Amino acid sequence: MSDGLPGTPLYVTGRVTSTGGTPLPGAVLDVWQADADGAYEAQLPEADEARLRAKYRARDDGSFCIRTIAPRGYSIPMDGPVGDLIRHTDISHYRPAHFHVLLDEPGHRRLITHLFQAGAAYLDTDVVFGTKDALIVPFTPRPAGPSPDGDTCQTPFLEAEFDFVLQAE
């Protein structure tokens, strides 16, 4: 997903299951995030293709492994009406480090959420009030070596684990 962009490698692993614990093989995880500078592809004039976006399918046992880079928190754009509004309040204009996930599986309710890095700045003051305790995930430091995708990472990396549970429609 990060395709050689600078940043600390991050592996996100887990499972996608039903509320009864049944694995949901083939469930689609549509993932996107800001880069190591806090910018999304739409904010970069030179980005002419998908950047830090990817779709993954859960394996037969519902497991998945996403390889990306650690996201960074960022300030929302302050140059328009939203910036004018925020400047007239005591609300922070920052988002904590996070990445977005949209899960889609036929017969189940679509889930759109994000996961936040435990210990990230602005968790308690997220400008869009999206931070929930259940969505805060430790990004555990690991030394260079075997990685969760079965390969080898040549540099130290981070690992996050989160299981997604989808409700039936």
Side-chain angles (χ1 to χ4, degrees), residues 128-153:
V128 301
F129 308 103
T131 307
K132 307 287 184 269
D133 288 344
L135 301 175
I136 299 172
V137 181
F139 287 17
T140 307
R142 303 284 187 221
S147 56
D149 62 355
D151 203 354
T152 300
C153 190

Side-chain angles (χ1 to χ4, degrees), residues 66-87:
I66 297 166
R67 181 172 193 254
T68 185
I69 57 173
R72 182 173 173 204
Y74 56 86
S75 169
I76 63 168
M78 294 292 289
D79 59 349
V82 172
D84 291 342
L85 174 67
I86 296 297
R87 276 191 286 278

Side-chain angles (χ1 to χ4, degrees), residues 114-127:
H114 34 16
L115 299 179
F116 296 89
Q117 180 179 6
Y122 313 111
L123 286 172
D124 295 332
T125 59
D126 182 10
V127 67

Side-chain angles (χ1 to χ4, degrees), residues 91-121:
I91 298 171
S92 166
H93 58 283
Y94 286 94
R95 302 250 21 233
H98 65 280
F99 60 92
H100 303 265
V101 182
L102 183 153
L103 290 113
D104 206 5
E105 172 66 10
H108 294 80
R109 293 180 61 186
R110 175 183 275 183
L111 174 64
I112 303 172
T113 191
H114 34 16
L115 299 179
F116 296 89
Q117 180 179 6

